[in-house]
Amino acid sequence: TSAALTLLGGSVAALVVWKWLGKKMIQKKMEEARRTRDEGMKKMAKAVQQFREQVPSVQRDAILSLPLLELTGRLQEGSLSPRTVLYTYIEKVSALEVTQQTNCVRHFIPECEEQLQEIQRHQEKGLLYGIPVSIKDHIGHKGHLATCGLVQCLDTLMEEDSVLVRVLKKQGAIPFAMTNVPQSLLSYECSNPIFGQTLNPLNPQKCPGGSSGGEGALIAGGGSILGIGSDSGGSIRLPSSFCGLCGLKPTAERLRWVLGLPFQPCSWPSLAKGEKCWAIPCAMGPMARDVDSLALCMKALLCQEMFQLDPTVPPIPFDEQVYSSSTPLRVGYYDTDGYFPLPPCMRRAVRETRRALQAAGHQLVLFSPPRVPYVMNELFMKTFFADGGRAWLDVFTGDIVDPGLKPQVNSCKIPRPVKKLLALLLKPLQFLLLLKLKDVTMISTCRSVREMWNHHHQIQVYRAQFITQWKELQLDVVLCPVLGPAFTTGYPRKLLSAISSTMLYNVLNFPAGVVPVSTVTEADEEELKLYKGCCDDPWDRTLKQAVAGGVGLPVAVQCVALPWQEELCLRFMKEVETLSREK
């Protein structure tokens, strides 16, 4: 007996030591990653200092204030040099004006200096000649990590540029910074244990959204003029809404970026690899200060280089005629999706935009998106957690889970029999428990291949029904709300299902963009006090707390078109932007 106890005690001690050593190894890797980032910051700051000594007369503020179209014009004609523009933007970031406030940059790309020399050797100037571009953490750049905020991804450097980066470079752009993301990308609170929490430059108490939150914070803080993000549930549109930017989620297959990239940055299936997340695809898209910038970026990317590097991208160049058209539009609209009532200011934005569009000669038609609760609870959640979240949990093996993800991680760890029991007990309250309990305990999984095929079929059936309803009303585009204004840090983790407004168009795979049209007013804050949401339940009250104290923050709307009609979506976004600026 004593020998058995001794053996047991030794085994327990060995296990404790093994776990302690594992944690120490994780901490060491994270510290090394942060040290590498900080050294990169110092290196770029030194390069900026050398540039300032050589060219002391640069009017930095004037350059930073130029819209993208004007900046490209100045670069093309030669009145501004790519070197001056690049170092002006690097200085804005590396001088800690943006990074100290927001912690948005994951890493500088020192090879930007090589790309600067490369574009100056060529006579032909691409559409983005000399434009510094920031890219989201997981977009592959040769010689750099694609971390997804995960320790297990800190060991593998990209062997070559992703297709998207190669096309940007071909068009003369200079990728110069990689931006922070939430751990595993499955969150709209931009935080991970390696590089920390990113804050909103418009209000440090607020978060910038996610998962392209680093992009949102960097552009809104003035440290980048054009960024590339990705969107599987709102990850371009939510940061754009929270940070007052324009952002476009295209039809997923219109831009691709993984062909020729021999890496798997992490095992969380498609979010990190830019592939389809089962039946719901991940889309890549631009983020910028205005709609014209998005259009220019799409025009630059939809080129022969993209089509040759990735033959799976349909060879459809950007249709400038559609984007420049002034033909009146037939616009469907709604200010609530019937699933998660948004704060009063977001609904006000839709109503005001609807009136402005009518006054401008467009035809407005009330549109009700069908069965959004079904889309959220069955189609979307079941797609992401078809296996009960086991594939997602695997990426946290030997890792530290960020506090922002702990509620979801812990819920996925609940044994299936317990989930089934809870789902049965809570079914009578299913309508009331729109949020957390639904997310945590009632997500049905696909228990067989047959069920998975049927699930895919149900998504196709819903898309067909949605398009039929759209066509019956003869709509060109749809105007609808987007989640906002910016949440106070810590709240996104409590309100996963609040993003139904954006998730819907990932399930449908429709192009959708966000345009800021207003700001939160004192009157909005007063009306928020009366907000009761769907049932005035704990989650409605949580949303109220999340957006409180938002006076002056951006208020946006969402613009949607049918698949493959990015130009029409952008044209509608431009119209909304113009009318809001006139107002």
Side-chain angles (χ1 to χ4, degrees):
T1 304
S2 60
L5 288 173
T6 301
L7 181 60
L8 178 61
S11 299
V12 170
L15 181 62
V16 169
V17 170
W18 180 76
K19 284 191 172 183
W20 179 81
L21 288 172
K23 285 185 178 180
K24 291 291 285 184
M25 183 63 70
I26 290 171
Q27 290 290 347
K28 186 178 178 182
K29 282 187 176 183
M30 293 196 298
E31 288 168 8
E32 180 62 32
R34 288 191 285 266
R35 186 162 48 252
T36 301
R37 176 191 61 178
D38 295 343
E39 287 171 357
M41 292 274 192
K42 290 175 184 176
K43 181 180 178 182
M44 298 313 290
K46 187 176 179 180
V48 167
Q49 182 60 36
Q50 290 174 347
F51 171 74
R52 295 290 285 176
E53 290 169 1
Q54 295 167 4
V55 190
S57 59
V58 172
Q59 295 184 339
R60 196 188 73 156
D61 292 342
I63 293 171
L64 292 172
S65 67
L66 289 174
L68 181 60
L69 261 61
E70 191 173 341
L71 181 59
T72 54
R74 298 277 295 274
L75 285 161
Q76 295 278 351
E77 71 185 17
S79 61
L80 273 177
S81 74
R83 186 167 179 252
T84 297
V85 174
L86 175 63
Y87 282 111
T88 297
Y89 271 96
I90 291 176
E91 182 181 14
K92 178 71 175 176
V93 182
S94 64
L96 302 183
E97 292 180 39
V98 180
T99 50
Q100 193 172 57
Q101 294 172 12
T102 65
N103 187 37
C104 57
V105 173
R106 195 213 81 198
H107 197 69
F108 270 116
I109 301 173
E111 293 87 349
C112 65
E113 294 175 306
E114 296 172 16
Q115 172 66 1
L116 176 63
Q117 294 167 10
E118 178 67 23
I119 64 170
Q120 291 173 328
R121 281 196 288 267
H122 293 272
Q123 279 192 323
E124 187 180 343
K125 297 178 179 179
L127 291 176
L128 296 174
Y129 173 75
I131 298 298
V133 175
S134 51
I135 59 176
K136 190 173 178 178
D137 162 279
H138 68 129
I139 296 173
H141 191 292
K142 184 178 179 179
H144 290 270
L145 299 167
T147 74
C148 303
L150 293 160
V151 171
Q152 66 168 272
C153 299
L154 292 177
D155 296 324
T156 309
L157 296 175
M158 300 302 101
E159 295 179 12
E160 61 177 287
D161 288 335
S162 58
V163 167
L164 198 65
V165 168
R166 289 163 73 180
V167 176
L168 284 169
K169 288 181 176 180
K170 181 71 174 180
Q171 288 286 14
I174 306 174
F176 77 106
M178 305 187 81
T179 51
N180 202 29
V181 293
Q183 189 179 31
S184 82
L185 309 183
L186 194 65
S187 171
Y188 64 108
E189 182 168 12
C190 193
S191 174
N192 65 73
I194 306 168
F195 302 107
Q197 172 84 52
T198 299
L199 303 176
N200 193 315
L202 308 178
N203 182 338
Q205 304 301 314
K206 302 288 184 176
C207 70
S211 60
S212 308
E215 282 300 319
L218 182 60
I219 299 168
S224 177
I225 196 168
L226 178 65
I228 305 295
S230 63
D231 192 313
S232 287
S235 295
I236 287 172
R237 290 161 291 159
L238 293 171
S240 296
S241 172
F242 283 19
C243 296
L245 304 173
C246 296
L248 175 70
K249 178 204 80 68
T251 310
E253 294 80 7
R254 191 87 194 259
L255 294 177
R256 292 285 289 279
W257 57 285
V258 292
L259 192 72
L261 193 64
F263 78 106
Q264 294 186 357
C266 65
S267 55
W268 174 226
S270 8
L271 297 183
K273 294 190 285 180
E275 300 169 354
K276 289 197 172 185
C277 184
W278 292 284
I280 298 177
C282 176
M284 309 302 299
M287 299 167 67
R289 301 175 198 164
D290 55 55
V291 178
D292 279 339
S293 300
L294 306 182
L296 177 62
C297 184
M298 291 296 291
K299 186 177 180 180
L301 291 173
L302 295 172
C303 64
Q304 283 305 312
E305 185 80 4
M306 172 71 78
F307 307 144
Q308 288 169 7
L309 287 171
D310 189 346
T312 67
V313 173
I316 309 171
F318 189 83
D319 193 332
E320 183 66 39
Q321 190 174 353
V322 172
Y323 179 62
S324 303
S325 171
S326 57
T327 307
L329 297 169
R330 186 171 168 88
V331 183
Y333 73 91
Y334 61 91
D335 66 4
T336 180
D337 61 15
Y339 182 75
F340 199 105
L342 297 181
C345 61
M346 307 312 289
R347 301 178 74 172
R348 169 179 65 80
V350 173
R351 292 194 299 270
E352 289 180 353
T353 304
R354 172 179 62 84
R355 288 194 290 267
L357 287 165
Q358 281 179 320
H362 301 283
Q363 189 175 2
L364 276 292
V365 181
L366 184 64
F367 178 74
S368 297
R371 301 188 294 156
V372 176
Y374 163 75
V375 175
M376 283 295 297
N377 299 334
E378 288 297 321
L379 301 186
F380 189 89
M381 291 298 182
K382 195 171 182 177
T383 294
F384 271 78
F385 297 100
D387 60 352
R390 280 173 290 181
W392 184 53
L393 288 177
D394 285 347
V395 306
F396 300 103
T397 303
D399 211 328
I400 295 172
V401 178
D402 189 82
L405 286 175
K406 278 186 177 176
Q408 287 91 338
V409 169
N410 290 337
S411 70
C412 286
K413 288 181 177 177
I414 298 172
R416 182 175 289 181
V418 177
K419 286 184 181 178
K420 283 185 178 180
L421 178 61
L422 285 170
L424 185 66
L425 294 173
L426 295 170
K427 196 159 189 176
L429 301 175
Q430 188 169 353
F431 176 74
L432 295 176
L433 300 175
L434 282 174
L435 286 173
K436 197 169 185 180
L437 292 177
K438 179 67 183 176
D439 292 346
V440 171
T441 61
M442 295 186 185
I443 298 170
S444 54
T445 58
C446 292
R447 288 163 293 193
S448 66
V449 173
R450 183 176 179 178
E451 274 194 39
M452 177 61 85
W453 280 116
N454 183 60
H455 177 65
H456 284 214
H457 174 68
Q458 292 305 318
I459 290 175
Q460 296 303 323
V461 167
Y462 180 79
R463 285 175 181 156
Q465 290 173 347
F466 196 100
I467 290 171
T468 298
Q469 186 171 321
W470 182 299
K471 290 290 190 181
E472 284 173 353
L473 293 173
Q474 298 180 323
L475 303 179
D476 295 311
V477 289
V478 162
L479 170 73
C480 56
V482 62
L483 182 63
F487 279 21
T488 299
T489 301
Y491 277 90
R493 69 191 70 168
K494 303 174 184 178
L495 293 164
L496 177 60
S497 293
I499 59 176
S500 59
S501 59
T502 51
M503 279 183 173
L504 174 63
Y505 295 105
N506 292 96
V507 173
L508 290 165
N509 195 17
F510 285 14
V514 162
V515 183
V517 296
S518 182
T519 56
V520 180
T521 65
E522 293 285 358
D524 290 327
E525 280 290 293
E526 288 302 312
E527 194 173 351
L528 180 64
K529 293 175 182 176
L530 304 175
Y531 169 89
K532 294 188 182 299
C534 178
C535 327
D536 197 25
D537 62 24
W539 297 283
D540 291 324
R541 292 192 287 274
T542 300
L543 177 69
K544 202 168 167 178
Q545 296 162 8
V547 300
V551 173
L553 288 176
V555 171
V557 295
Q558 186 171 205
C559 304
V560 185
L562 289 172
W564 308 105
Q565 296 186 11
E566 281 70 24
E567 295 88 343
L568 181 59
C569 185
L570 286 164
R571 182 256 153 127
F572 180 40
M573 291 170 67
K574 178 67 177 176
E575 182 76 2
V576 168
E577 178 185 62
T578 301
L579 293 171
S580 69
R581 288 182 176 181
E582 288 174 359
K583 176 170 69 69

